[in-house]
Amino acid sequence: MSSHSFSPFSLVLLLSLSSCATSVDVPAGYVSSPYYPAPHGGWSPDWTESYRKASLLVSNMTLAEKTNVTSGTGIYMGRCVGNSGSAPRAGFPQLCLQDGPLGVRNSDHNTAFPAGITVGATFDKDLMHARGVAIGEEFRGKGVNVHLGPSVGPLGRRPRGGRNWEGFGADPVLQAFGGSRTVEGIQSVGVIATIKHLIANEQEKYRMYNLAQDGISSNLDDRTLHELYLWPFAEAVRSGVGSVMMAYNAVNGSACSQNSYLINNLLKDELGFQGFVMSDWLAQITGVASALSGLDMTMPGDIHTIPLFGSSYWMYEYSRSVLNGSIPVDRLNDAVTRIVATWFQMGQDSASYPKPNFDSNTLDAEGPLFPGSLFSPKGVVNEFVDVQGNHAVVARDIARDAITLLKNTNDILPLAKTAKLKVFGTDAEKNPDGINSCTDMGCDKGTLGMGWGSGSARYPYVDSPIDGFKSRGANYTFFNTDSFPSNSVPTAGDIAVVFVNADSGENYITVENNPGDRTDSNLNLWHNGDKLIQDVAAKYTDVVVIVHTVGPILLEAWHDLPAVKAVLFAHLPGQEAGESLMQIIFGDVSPSGHLPYTIPKSEDNYPDSLDLIGFELGQPQDTFTEGLYIDYRHFHKANITPRYAFGHGLSYTTFSFSKATITPVTTLTTLPPARAAKGSTMVYSTAIPAAAEAYWPANFPNRIWRYLYSWLEKADADNAAADLKAGKTYPYPTGYSNAQTAGPAAGGAQGGNPALFDVAYTISVTVTNTGKATGRAVAQLYVQYPTDLAVDTPVIQLRDFVKTSALAAGASEVVKLRVTRKDMSVWDTVKQNWVVPSVDGDYGIWVGAASDALALRCGTAAKTCAEGVKSPV
Ligand SMILES: *[C@@H]1O[C@H](CO)[C@@H](O)[C@H](O)[C@H]1NC(C)=O
Ligand SMILES: *[C@@H]1O[C@H](CO)[C@@H](O)[C@H](O)[C@H]1NC(C)=O
Ligand SMILES: *[C@@H]1O[C@H](CO)[C@@H](O)[C@H](O)[C@H]1NC(C)=O
Ligand SMILES: *[C@@H]1O[C@H](CO)[C@@H](O)[C@H](O)[C@H]1NC(C)=O
Ligand SMILES: *[C@@H]1O[C@H](CO)[C@@H](O)[C@H](O)[C@H]1NC(C)=O
């Protein structure tokens, strides 16, 4: 979500640039086909009881109550970033929706957890889950019903994309485990998680529709969508996620918030999603069309062009659209039932579920209850409930276990306790203006713990690297500057530690000329970090570089300088930047993080289609011509050796992978076994309600100015009913139908046909610590499709991973990994199903420590494994 970024100047800009820009349309062939009607929810057995309860409530609701529940009450019209309308008479409360993926945004006494990209770098499924539980506890403690996270889209296609850091890394399977484990953790404590942003929102600039311009269109083919971008969403749905947020951008020219192919077909039918679909903030651009396309809730409720003035596409307009017959009652009933059922599914009907006790709009104890209204009653809005519990522990564990050691010449790390340190770079210490001095972290000052935008949270404190050195009693001198200080004089035995960073964020804030995406900084370090490292390396013989970063950066300016002995990526650690790093650099714990993306040698390593899209007259077009070939998939295909490969990460010890076995579990067939039919869904009357169900109540007290209500003036409601009677009809889109369908072959349960997740093979591998220090290894499993296929497939693709426990020198652990039917399939765009392209073919199942460190191969044809094999890449 975002604050609205409404620019009255964009029209002027558009006109003034028109002479040097060409207008482009969605390229030929990219179309979003109509898919109607919106499939009913409630047919999945896991949700039966919640739908039953919901239907009792919904069948008692009036029209105005139902439409109220589907919409926010207006931007800044309540304590949370989103506040839905309620149906108090029927017993359904307002829901509080709140950002963001790494902690409760705009609040107090909350934990600022490590960002998604940091969690991805741990390659630790247990920590992914534990962080989800802790986040869930904090949102519940603040009285939030709906957590607006986790983010698995953007996927990280574009290395310079602004919000990649909110997700778990540039690979669908890493995103899938990160997202689904987080969802399971959050929902285990009764908070509704929201998987977002569906879909292909791979750059920040031009993402939104506004008066002057349509949002950017991501044009991509069906196979790429299924095998990359939709994959993590499928896993989150399989985990029972309660809510899905649609992205701002368009796909194939059709806005995601009203793209019937995406919502009705892919999400609700093929993936069998049972919860409710919401818009991103001000992403809804029509009323009737978005409802028919499957949108269930609009947030924050306002129209997208001029919010805050009490206008909505839904609320009173939804009531009107039902009365005039344009939106079938059936569609409204399904939308409301999905929302109410999700609330039951998480147990939020329990009396013990807390009410909101904080205010996203102010830090004061008292303030306006409806800040969006000029004349608002005031009251207590912040109760300062401390929800941190012992979550600092899991936050610190993640920050530590994500730290990725890229280079460690002569084993310079770990440092001796008595090492004489010269520390450089403003990134080593807290923002001197105050840790929360920039709204939504919209500045890059001091230790970089998170990117900026709605995915940020206020820090309760920052444990900075300098705090860490201090509390360790380390012998250090700190030069709090990004220019090499003339007063730094090396003495024999000194070790220089240089802190540098690279930031990005959400488009409504521009930081140092970067409008969310790294438009101006490119993939370079910020604040002349390259020069600082070069200058330090010119004077000191032993230099350790610590990088806090949102994603890949270029290391070439200094990586090979003889003085640069070690490079550590500490990613975005949140509040726990200090002690987590100390535990690694002083060797209490061996580093065990791995890169959740590839580090290139040059931006030219990437295909041109991954450049940021600049200004275009009309709707900007972003065509994914690289198809499946992003990140390591591209480097392998183009045969480019990166600076560091996806999955790379060193330790203070070494590991071997041996004694592998492969066990067939499910015998594969070209197509998966047929899906089961959908179960039954709720049946309601489809009669159009009486106009009176939408009338304003007589003498309604305390009407809040500009607040969004679902009632209509009597005359308006009567006119809508009269329009229907007079036979006025809505111009339904081509292909519109109101008859529920059986659903596609690829569906059948939450996440898709359950047979897709049948385990085809299990692989067991012995991981042995062959070095001198205790440490944890990550076994990464990549699948190489048979090489003689007619269909083009990436050389290798990550399909599973597992992190060992801490292994003492010489100790070993047997780890188990699995490959599912889906992991061995390709999406067949003609059959519209997952197809195993070669049932008896020889798939290579590779296990190793990184995508470029694979020497152990199990073959599915011979069902044997071999060690010391030449790596496929
Ligand atoms: C976009 O167009 C491509 C090419 O025709 C098609 O394969 C794909 O399914 C379309 N995607 C959506 C979401 O409509
Ligand atoms: C809801 O239930 C109450 C009590 O049974 C009943 O009086 C009322 O008419 C119902 N309302 C609707 C809209 O069904
Ligand atoms: C709609 O929700 C608001 C906010 O909770 C509430 O004040 C109003 O009474 C609701 N309207 C109906 C029809 O229940
Ligand atoms: C019904 O009302 C909606 C909302 O105002 C409007 O968009 C739609 O065009 C109306 N339908 C007809 C047939 O007039
Ligand atoms: C700290 O380092 C300085 C040189 O940088 C050295 O002179 C001093 O003895 C060291 N202090 C301790 C307590 O080791």
mmCIF file of all heavy atoms in Angstrom, residues 79-95:
data_model
loop_
_atom_site.group_PDB
_atom_site.id
_atom_site.type_symbol
_atom_site.label_atom_id
_atom_site.label_comp_id
_atom_site.label_asym_id
_atom_site.label_seq_id
_atom_site.Cartn_x
_atom_site.Cartn_y
_atom_site.Cartn_z
ATOM 1 N N ARG A 79 -8.321 4.638 12.750
ATOM 2 C CA ARG A 79 -7.002 4.499 13.351
ATOM 3 C C ARG A 79 -6.003 3.765 12.468
ATOM 4 O O ARG A 79 -4.809 4.003 12.559
ATOM 5 C CB ARG A 79 -7.145 3.707 14.652
ATOM 6 C CG ARG A 79 -7.739 4.498 15.773
ATOM 7 C CD ARG A 79 -8.024 3.550 16.926
ATOM 8 N NE ARG A 79 -7.754 4.196 18.191
ATOM 9 C CZ ARG A 79 -7.845 3.584 19.377
ATOM 10 N NH1 ARG A 79 -8.179 2.315 19.440
ATOM 11 N NH2 ARG A 79 -7.588 4.227 20.476
ATOM 12 N N CYS A 80 -6.495 2.864 11.658
ATOM 13 C CA CYS A 80 -5.578 2.011 10.906
ATOM 14 C C CYS A 80 -5.395 2.573 9.507
ATOM 15 O O CYS A 80 -6.112 3.470 9.088
ATOM 16 C CB CYS A 80 -6.116 0.580 10.877
ATOM 17 S SG CYS A 80 -6.433 -0.017 12.557
ATOM 18 N N VAL A 81 -4.468 2.004 8.792
ATOM 19 C CA VAL A 81 -4.213 2.507 7.441
ATOM 20 C C VAL A 81 -5.391 2.148 6.522
ATOM 21 O O VAL A 81 -5.678 2.854 5.563
ATOM 22 C CB VAL A 81 -2.834 1.995 6.979
ATOM 23 C CG1 VAL A 81 -2.902 0.592 6.463
ATOM 24 C CG2 VAL A 81 -2.213 2.908 5.971
ATOM 25 N N GLY A 82 -6.119 1.099 6.878
ATOM 26 C CA GLY A 82 -7.372 0.764 6.209
ATOM 27 C C GLY A 82 -8.401 0.392 7.267
ATOM 28 O O GLY A 82 -8.079 -0.333 8.212
ATOM 29 N N ASN A 83 -9.616 0.921 7.134
ATOM 30 C CA ASN A 83 -10.689 0.638 8.091
ATOM 31 C C ASN A 83 -11.936 0.314 7.282
ATOM 32 O O ASN A 83 -12.442 1.168 6.571
ATOM 33 C CB ASN A 83 -10.956 1.869 8.963
ATOM 34 C CG ASN A 83 -9.692 2.417 9.602
ATOM 35 O OD1 ASN A 83 -9.250 1.944 10.637
ATOM 36 N ND2 ASN A 83 -9.075 3.410 8.960
ATOM 37 N N SER A 84 -12.387 -0.933 7.384
ATOM 38 C CA SER A 84 -13.544 -1.292 6.563
ATOM 39 C C SER A 84 -14.828 -0.847 7.234
ATOM 40 O O SER A 84 -14.847 -0.580 8.435
ATOM 41 C CB SER A 84 -13.564 -2.815 6.352
ATOM 42 O OG SER A 84 -13.823 -3.452 7.580
ATOM 43 N N GLY A 85 -15.893 -0.762 6.442
ATOM 44 C CA GLY A 85 -17.200 -0.507 7.019
ATOM 45 C C GLY A 85 -17.689 -1.749 7.758
ATOM 46 O O GLY A 85 -17.237 -2.866 7.495
ATOM 47 N N SER A 86 -18.591 -1.557 8.694
ATOM 48 C CA SER A 86 -19.049 -2.667 9.536
ATOM 49 C C SER A 86 -20.539 -2.925 9.303
ATOM 50 O O SER A 86 -21.189 -2.208 8.552
ATOM 51 C CB SER A 86 -18.829 -2.308 11.008
ATOM 52 O OG SER A 86 -19.572 -1.147 11.323
ATOM 53 N N ALA A 87 -21.027 -3.955 9.946
ATOM 54 C CA ALA A 87 -22.468 -4.227 9.956
ATOM 55 C C ALA A 87 -22.840 -4.517 11.407
ATOM 56 O O ALA A 87 -23.067 -5.672 11.785
ATOM 57 C CB ALA A 87 -22.799 -5.406 9.048
ATOM 58 N N PRO A 88 -22.845 -3.472 12.235
ATOM 59 C CA PRO A 88 -23.000 -3.680 13.680
ATOM 60 C C PRO A 88 -24.289 -4.412 14.048
ATOM 61 O O PRO A 88 -24.274 -5.269 14.929
ATOM 62 C CB PRO A 88 -22.974 -2.265 14.262
ATOM 63 C CG PRO A 88 -22.947 -1.317 13.116
ATOM 64 C CD PRO A 88 -22.650 -2.074 11.877
ATOM 65 N N ARG A 89 -25.360 -4.098 13.352
ATOM 66 C CA ARG A 89 -26.633 -4.748 13.688
ATOM 67 C C ARG A 89 -26.540 -6.253 13.487
ATOM 68 O O ARG A 89 -27.031 -7.046 14.283
ATOM 69 C CB ARG A 89 -27.750 -4.165 12.809
ATOM 70 C CG ARG A 89 -29.164 -4.561 13.246
ATOM 71 C CD ARG A 89 -30.143 -4.377 12.094
ATOM 72 N NE ARG A 89 -29.680 -5.040 10.888
ATOM 73 C CZ ARG A 89 -29.891 -6.330 10.614
ATOM 74 N NH1 ARG A 89 -30.563 -7.086 11.440
ATOM 75 N NH2 ARG A 89 -29.394 -6.869 9.488
ATOM 76 N N ALA A 90 -25.837 -6.657 12.430
ATOM 77 C CA ALA A 90 -25.716 -8.086 12.136
ATOM 78 C C ALA A 90 -24.572 -8.732 12.923
ATOM 79 O O ALA A 90 -24.412 -9.947 12.892
ATOM 80 C CB ALA A 90 -25.496 -8.276 10.643
ATOM 81 N N GLY A 91 -23.784 -7.905 13.590
ATOM 82 C CA GLY A 91 -22.710 -8.465 14.422
ATOM 83 C C GLY A 91 -21.379 -8.607 13.709
ATOM 84 O O GLY A 91 -20.575 -9.467 14.062
ATOM 85 N N PHE A 92 -21.140 -7.753 12.717
ATOM 86 C CA PHE A 92 -19.825 -7.809 12.063
ATOM 87 C C PHE A 92 -19.117 -6.465 12.239
ATOM 88 O O PHE A 92 -19.633 -5.422 11.845
ATOM 89 C CB PHE A 92 -19.956 -8.157 10.573
ATOM 90 C CG PHE A 92 -18.625 -8.494 9.956
ATOM 91 C CD1 PHE A 92 -17.984 -9.681 10.279
ATOM 92 C CD2 PHE A 92 -17.979 -7.601 9.102
ATOM 93 C CE1 PHE A 92 -16.728 -9.983 9.747
ATOM 94 C CE2 PHE A 92 -16.728 -7.904 8.555
ATOM 95 C CZ PHE A 92 -16.103 -9.098 8.881
ATOM 96 N N PRO A 93 -17.895 -6.517 12.830
ATOM 97 C CA PRO A 93 -17.207 -5.266 13.191
ATOM 98 C C PRO A 93 -16.449 -4.651 12.021
ATOM 99 O O PRO A 93 -16.277 -5.275 10.977
ATOM 100 C CB PRO A 93 -16.206 -5.733 14.247
ATOM 101 C CG PRO A 93 -15.836 -7.111 13.786
ATOM 102 C CD PRO A 93 -17.100 -7.699 13.197
ATOM 103 N N GLN A 94 -15.949 -3.452 12.250
ATOM 104 C CA GLN A 94 -14.974 -2.876 11.321
ATOM 105 C C GLN A 94 -13.711 -3.704 11.401
ATOM 106 O O GLN A 94 -13.336 -4.173 12.471
ATOM 107 C CB GLN A 94 -14.609 -1.458 11.786
ATOM 108 C CG GLN A 94 -15.511 -0.378 11.271
ATOM 109 C CD GLN A 94 -14.880 0.989 11.433
ATOM 110 O OE1 GLN A 94 -14.721 1.443 12.554
ATOM 111 N NE2 GLN A 94 -14.556 1.641 10.328
ATOM 112 N N LEU A 95 -13.025 -3.844 10.276
ATOM 113 C CA LEU A 95 -11.733 -4.519 10.291
ATOM 114 C C LEU A 95 -10.641 -3.463 10.198
ATOM 115 O O LEU A 95 -10.771 -2.483 9.459
ATOM 116 C CB LEU A 95 -11.612 -5.495 9.122
ATOM 117 C CG LEU A 95 -12.645 -6.626 9.069
ATOM 118 C CD1 LEU A 95 -12.371 -7.536 7.875
ATOM 119 C CD2 LEU A 95 -12.629 -7.441 10.371
#
